Amino acid sequence: MPADFRPDAQRPNLTPASVSRGKRSATVTWGVPLGGIGTGCIELGNDNRFRNITINNNRDKSTRIPLASRAFLALRTVRLGRVQTRFLQPACDLPFAEAGVIPTFTPVNELTWKALYPCSHYTLNVKDATVEAAWRAMTPFVPHDTHASNIPAMYLNVSLRNPEHTPVKVSFVFNWENLCGCTRRNRPEQRGSFYPVPAGGTPDTNRFVGLRFGKTEGIDHNAEGNYALMAQPQDGQKITVLGWNESDPQELDTFWQQFHYDGSLANQVSRNPAANLAAVCCSRELLPHQECRFLFVLSWYCPKFESDGAEHGNKYAETFPNAVEVGRYALKNAHYCFRAVEKWQSTLLNSSLPRWFSRMLLNSCATFATNTLLTRKGRFAMFETPEDPMTGCLDKRLYSSLATLLLFPELEEAELHALAAAMPKTPPGRCMRYLGRMGMKAPQDGPDEAELADLGPKFVLLACRNFRLSGNRKTAEALFPRLRAAMRHTRTMDKDGHGLPWQSGFSTMYDGWVAEGVNSYTSGLWIAAMRAYAALAELLGHPDEARQYRDLSEDAVKHFESLLWNEERGHYLYCAPGSGERPRPEDWQSGCHTGQLAGEWYAQWMGLGGLFEPGRVRQALVTIQRMNERAYGVVKATMPDGYPCENPPGIPGEPHTEHGWPGIYLAHFACLLLHCGRPDHGLYMIERIFKCVWMRGARAFNHPLSWDCNTNEPRGRAQDRNMSALSVWHAYESLHGVFMDAAAHVLWIRPHLPKGVRFLNVPLFSPTGPSWVRLHEKTGRPHGLEIQLTFHQSVLLNEIVTNPLHASKECHVECATERQRLETSVARVIENAEPQLRIRLVSPAVVHGTLTVILSIERK
């Protein structure tokens, strides 16, 4: 059995904490992003310090706060009169020397850190520790529950256990800084006052659950708002609070006297207007071998968000009036949030997937915390990178937005509608690359102001994909006029009537790289878009238009093959002339581009059939591997002489084709290897991206766009938390191969598993809800395959399409639900040299629960 699919007991425990390879004392300046979708977030890394804070609507790299230098967690224990007080981090920027305090800090190598989005786990590993201490920071991320996933809060769940035979008193303090009005370079002195939060919501001077601070009125800027730090009341536990001035050594001494010597705080707030620290302390006694848990919530509320000259607001401000109510809601629903997150993680971790692959899927979703906007009116957008926060990013969302569709379909629909609405009236059908900069009301093409020829095909493919997976006919009909306009606009780029767009200049997703004439990347996507659009038009009742684009796509394929295929080199050219002025491509156009078969990849994944001659596709994949693969990845493009592709003479700038885009080629190259009978190599390439970029490159939550495949480090622009991390969800969909076409009610089952893997047991995600697939191939006699799909929602089914067990022998098919056996007719067909088994249900069936399909080779 291949190493990638070993049983769990034999799998290495790959976590971001193991990146350092023994150098655990090194501090990692990124961490798990904790915060809801569109709320901003706080990152917790291996040193347990709060970093990269964006909760004040300061979501881009230039404004986020690198470190909350005065925030901390601390633990105090008393056993047999001996007091131990420890800060659970390596440092804290407080005037300890001036206050006469000698703190005990915890170096990184005394913390065990395990990170798995959306959780950051810590264990204290100190020999003389009085108690066993572990804590977990978490934010609600619950697929198909947008409300729970939009809470502007983070949990801190602390677990303490007394391992000895004598009682011990324990106290745990969470100290946070009032950041009202703060950004990276702006730290106002006056940030609002502190007020105790009474238990039960009614004034009670003796019982408090936390503190609120900041502004509730006069919020004039994006970074202003209010916050709450609260703890959950429990039997046997005492909660105390303190608001204090971090720059005053006397007040630091007061804090220390109370916490270190008393194990509690004085339930006071400083009268000094410069006081900015809020501390909440939980205390209790633990009997021998007893365990307790303290639960804290830090919540924030910055309702005013203005960008692009327009007020957007935040969605959470429609639900909650202030941070205190956010905190109360979070505490009340803590059980649901923790259980939902654990269930979401365990569905992937307990599947038959390699553990590294499950972690890759889970951690990619951190992009929803770092790169998203969710406005008061429910408009959603993801920006490519906080380094350059352009929203929408139509060119790259072809690769990243599948995760949004599968996990939060209403958000994907909202962003696609926004991109449709952003189309200008003149010329009709032109797609804009972005919705705006840190906003959604200033559509634009980007810094070069050049139209990208690949945007129209990508917009159409995304809309058709959404319809096929969701079956939402109403949305498809609403978008159809825009899709028709986009198709017509792209056809205007056809200069010779053969169905392929002609382009020039910087006109593709690959910034700084000139495309002249017919480009294989754009043209392949355009042919796939024509196929997809024809199928959509047919389903929506436009047969003439469907026939027109089917015919045009056939002509375009012939022209693509004759114009771009190079038999001598065994690949499709980067570019070829689009007119008869220059019948032969110039040297710079002859490169081998990793994305030359992007359209083939998307068409095969969507069940549209292969586009190009299968033998040439296989040969091109081999050539890409031979020419473009380097020690640490695959570069964008290589010339026949082995040098990187360059721009034509006279064009300034470098296209940087000697670097790779890991998240992009993971999709249109590695996934195509899975589809084209090379799953071992495809999965190997995905694992190499995981090892080089996610692990060794220390980028589990900070994925770059571009990677130097020779030095194994990021290069160029968009290094900061790039949205392309989410492309791994395409690899997941290609691997299990289950595609429910909800529009045509056809279930595709085409797993692409490595050689020797005969068992698959994984969750399925779709816009309509979760389900599960179990596949077991039997190698004895008779040879058979049993497939079980468990649907948690009703599914209307007309047909099942799968691969036959044997190229020449007939297959026997049994199909049944939990209630009845389904009558079927079986047809064996070949589409684009791919054999298929089409299992047609005699009568359409509504399936809810388990559907079992058994294939076996009939005995003669």
Side-chain angles (χ1 to χ4, degrees):
M1 184 177 290
D4 292 321
F5 282 73
R6 291 175 295 171
D8 282 354
Q10 301 179 39
R11 294 176 183 158
N13 183 23
L14 295 175
T15 70
S18 64
V19 172
S20 53
R21 298 179 180 272
K23 300 179 180 179
R24 295 288 296 279
S25 59
T27 297
V28 179
T29 57
W30 49 263
V32 181
L34 302 170
I37 297 175
T39 70
C41 61
I42 301 164
E43 294 185 14
L44 270 175
N46 69 337
D47 62 350
N48 196 37
R49 301 197 73 182
F50 301 92
R51 299 180 179 273
N52 304 316
I53 300 160
T54 60
I55 62 178
N56 289 356
N57 295 312
N58 56 327
R59 298 177 178 91
D60 66 324
K61 185 178 180 180
S62 65
T63 60
R64 71 179 176 224
I65 301 169
L67 176 68
S69 60
R70 296 163 179 174
F72 61 82
L73 306 178
L75 172 65
R76 174 193 184 263
T77 61
V78 182
R79 188 192 301 278
L80 300 176
R82 183 188 176 191
V83 180
Q84 285 189 349
T85 303
R86 174 181 292 273
F87 288 82
L88 300 174
Q89 57 195 49
C92 186
D93 186 15
L94 290 171
F96 292 107
E98 293 89 338
V101 174
I102 303 176
T104 300
F105 290 110
T106 305
V108 173
N109 59 10
E110 292 183 353
L111 291 172
T112 298
W113 179 48
K114 293 186 178 180
L116 188 67
Y117 183 77
C119 300
S120 194
H121 301 258
Y122 300 87
T123 303
L124 181 64
N125 290 320
V126 181
K127 292 182 179 179
D128 63 345
T130 311
V131 296
E132 297 173 357
W135 57 99
R136 171 175 51 164
M138 190 210 77
T139 192
F141 183 85
V142 186
H144 289 273
D145 190 341
T146 305
H147 174 67
S149 304
N150 180 234
I151 300 175
M154 61 160 280
Y155 291 101
L156 183 73
N157 188 27
V158 182
S159 176
L160 303 174
R161 180 180 178 273
N162 180 8
E164 302 295 336
H165 299 286
T166 56
V168 61
K169 295 180 179 179
V170 295
S171 299
F172 194 98
V173 70
F174 188 162
N175 185 81
W176 184 252
E177 183 176 358
N178 181 2
L179 296 175
C180 181
C182 295
T183 59
R184 186 185 191 94
R185 296 180 178 86
N186 185 36
R187 295 296 183 97
E189 293 183 3
Q190 305 297 323
R191 306 180 192 175
S193 303
F194 291 95
Y195 299 93
V197 178
T202 58
D204 186 336
T205 56
N206 297 320
R207 295 182 62 234
F208 303 110
V209 294
L211 290 172
R212 62 182 176 93
F213 41 99
K215 292 184 178 180
T216 56
E217 297 179 352
I219 298 175
D220 299 320
H221 306 291
N222 285 354
E224 294 181 334
N226 52 86
Y227 315 85
L229 179 59
M230 303 164 62
Q232 187 177 65
Q234 299 179 40
D235 292 339
Q237 170 187 298
K238 180 182 179 182
I239 301 175
T240 52
V241 302
L242 182 70
W244 57 292
N245 182 9
E246 67 276 17
S247 59
D248 187 341
Q250 184 175 351
E251 294 203 23
L252 172 58
D253 181 62
T254 300
F255 164 80
W256 186 256
Q257 293 290 333
Q258 293 175 10
F259 181 63
H260 177 72
Y261 292 104
D262 298 335
S264 61
L265 303 176
N267 286 338
Q268 296 174 343
V269 294
S270 173
R271 296 181 179 180
N272 190 325
N276 291 316
L277 290 188
V280 175
C281 178
C282 293
S283 309
R284 67 164 297 158
E285 183 179 51
L286 290 180
L287 299 177
H289 305 291
Q290 187 179 13
E291 182 178 357
C292 75
R293 293 181 183 273
F294 299 142
L295 180 63
F296 298 87
V297 166
L298 173 65
S299 55
W300 54 91
Y301 189 86
C302 295
K304 182 180 179 64
F305 175 53
E306 183 177 315
S307 66
D308 292 334
E311 168 62 31
H312 299 282
N314 286 304
K315 182 64 177 176
Y316 62 74
E318 287 286 286
T319 307
F320 304 104
N322 53 57
V324 171
E325 293 307 313
V326 173
R328 292 193 187 280
Y329 179 88
L331 290 173
K332 181 179 179 181
N333 293 278
H335 180 73
Y336 165 76
C337 291
F338 276 91
R339 289 292 299 273
V341 167
E342 289 168 0
K343 180 180 179 181
W344 147 245
Q345 292 178 334
S346 65
T347 55
L348 288 166
L349 294 175
N350 295 335
S351 70
S352 62
L353 291 172
R355 183 60 62 95
W356 64 265
F357 194 79
S358 297
R359 291 184 173 277
M360 203 173 179
L361 289 167
L362 290 165
N363 288 339
S364 72
C365 292
T367 311
F368 285 100
T370 58
N371 292 42
T372 53
L373 305 176
L374 186 54
T375 72
R376 187 185 293 269
K377 293 184 179 180
R379 301 188 73 190
F380 170 81
M382 182 179 289
F383 42 86
E384 180 185 355
T385 166
E387 182 181 324
D388 186 18
M390 305 300 293
T391 60
C393 199
L394 178 55
D395 54 332
K396 295 184 181 68
R397 78 185 306 273
L398 179 78
Y399 300 86
S400 64
S401 64
L402 177 62
T404 313
L405 177 65
L406 297 177
L407 305 178
F408 301 99
E410 69 275 23
L411 299 183
E412 161 60 20
E413 183 177 318
E415 189 172 22
L416 194 64
H417 274 286
L419 286 164
M423 286 182 170
K425 293 183 179 179
T426 306
R430 176 179 175 177
C431 294
M432 306 303 291
R433 187 178 189 181
Y434 302 114
L435 294 173
R437 183 178 179 82
M438 193 59 81
M440 289 171 266
K441 293 190 177 181
Q444 54 188 282
D445 291 307
D448 296 327
E449 295 297 327
E451 179 181 4
L452 304 189
D454 55 341
L455 293 185
K458 287 177 176 177
F459 175 68
V460 172
L461 285 171
L462 289 170
C464 293
R465 174 203 70 182
N466 289 7
F467 179 49
R468 290 174 77 94
L469 282 170
S470 69
N472 192 331
R473 187 182 183 95
K474 183 178 179 180
T475 297
E477 289 176 341
L479 288 175
F480 191 74
R482 303 275 182 167
L483 302 178
R484 175 183 286 154
M487 295 294 290
R488 291 175 177 174
H489 179 69
T490 304
R491 288 190 66 178
T492 64
M493 302 178 191
D494 180 5
K495 303 296 184 181
D496 55 13
H498 286 291
L500 297 179
W502 188 92
Q503 55 193 99
S504 62
F506 305 119
S507 53
T508 71
M509 170 181 70
Y510 296 91
D511 298 307
W513 192 9
V514 166
E516 184 77 21
V518 174
N519 171 254
S520 56
Y521 176 76
T522 299
S523 295
L525 290 170
W526 166 241
I527 295 172
M530 286 193 283
R531 285 266 188 99
Y533 181 80
L536 176 64
E538 189 78 45
L539 286 170
L540 296 183
H542 305 281
D544 294 340
E545 196 168 0
R547 190 180 312 109
Q548 175 190 4
Y549 278 101
R550 276 197 296 267
D551 294 343
L552 184 62
S553 69
E554 292 177 4
D555 290 341
V557 168
K558 294 176 183 177
H559 195 49
F560 187 99
E561 296 277 13
S562 63
L563 192 61
L564 291 164
W565 177 252
N566 187 297
E567 183 64 33
E568 179 183 356
R569 295 169 184 162
H571 67 86
Y572 294 96
L573 303 177
Y574 171 62
C575 280
S579 65
E581 298 175 2
R582 287 186 287 105
R584 295 179 59 83
E586 298 181 7
D587 289 341
W588 68 272
Q589 295 177 310
S590 302
C592 179
H593 181 205
T594 305
Q596 62 187 263
L597 291 169
E600 178 77 16
W601 154 64
Y602 218 78
Q604 288 206 28
W605 172 68
M606 284 184 63
L608 299 171
L611 303 180
F612 309 119
E613 202 281 313
R616 289 181 173 179
V617 170
R618 290 192 293 269
Q619 188 175 354
L621 290 173
V622 172
T623 304
I624 293 170
Q625 178 188 349
R626 175 173 54 84
M627 294 184 65
N628 294 356
E629 198 167 356
R630 302 290 186 270
Y632 301 108
V634 179
V635 299
K636 292 181 202 168
T638 305
M639 295 296 294
D641 58 8
Y643 284 92
C645 285
E646 297 180 349
N647 280 328
I651 300 296
E654 284 288 334
H656 299 292
T657 56
E658 75 277 13
H659 300 153
W661 284 2
I664 302 300
Y665 75 68
L666 181 153
H668 63 217
F669 181 54
C671 287
L672 187 56
L673 288 170
L674 294 176
H675 283 276
C676 292
R678 298 182 62 192
D680 289 83
H681 191 71
L683 195 63
Y684 161 75
M685 291 195 63
I686 298 166
E687 184 177 15
R688 191 163 65 161
I689 292 172
F690 175 76
K691 289 181 177 179
C692 293
V693 180
W694 295 66
M695 298 297 296
R696 191 180 307 162
R699 291 280 179 155
F701 305 103
N702 187 8
H703 199 276
L705 172 66
S706 184
W707 196 256
D708 190 319
C709 300
N710 293 308
T711 64
N712 202 28
E713 58 186 6
R715 280 287 184 268
R717 63 173 292 274
Q719 292 186 23
D720 191 84
R721 295 155 179 79
N722 195 269
M723 68 190 300
S724 61
L726 288 166
S727 66
V728 68
W729 284 86
H730 267 292
Y732 180 54
E733 292 296 297
S734 295
L735 187 69
H736 66 64
V738 179
F739 186 101
M740 181 63 205
D741 187 341
H745 311 295
V746 176
L747 177 63
W748 294 77
I749 307 173
R750 300 171 300 165
H752 303 103
L753 304 179
K755 294 177 183 177
V757 176
R758 306 188 186 281
F759 178 77
L760 184 70
N761 188 31
V762 297
L764 302 177
F765 302 93
S766 76
T768 56
S771 51
W772 198 274
V773 62
R774 181 183 181 275
L775 180 148
H776 184 208
E777 183 179 358
K778 300 177 182 178
T779 57
R781 294 187 178 181
H783 183 197
L785 178 67
E786 181 176 332
I787 305 164
Q788 286 188 336
L789 292 107
T790 303
F791 296 99
H792 299 292
Q793 61 285 326
S794 297
V795 174
L796 178 62
L797 193 60
N798 288 332
E799 187 178 18
I800 302 170
V801 180
T802 187
N803 298 325
L805 291 175
H806 196 278
S808 59
K809 296 182 180 180
E810 294 295 324
C811 285
H812 176 70
V813 177
E814 297 180 28
C815 188
T817 67
E818 295 174 347
R819 297 182 178 180
Q820 60 178 335
R821 181 173 179 174
L822 303 177
E823 295 185 24
T824 61
S825 61
V826 181
R828 192 189 191 94
V829 300
I830 296 179
E831 288 195 4
N832 300 95
E834 177 189 2
Q836 295 179 354
L837 203 64
R838 292 187 170 268
I839 306 167
R840 185 77 181 179
L841 274 63
V842 175
S843 300
V846 176
V847 180
H848 187 102
T850 300
L851 171 70
T852 302
V853 181
I854 300 176
L855 309 180
S856 58
I857 297 177
E858 293 183 343
R859 295 179 177 178
K860 300 217 175 168

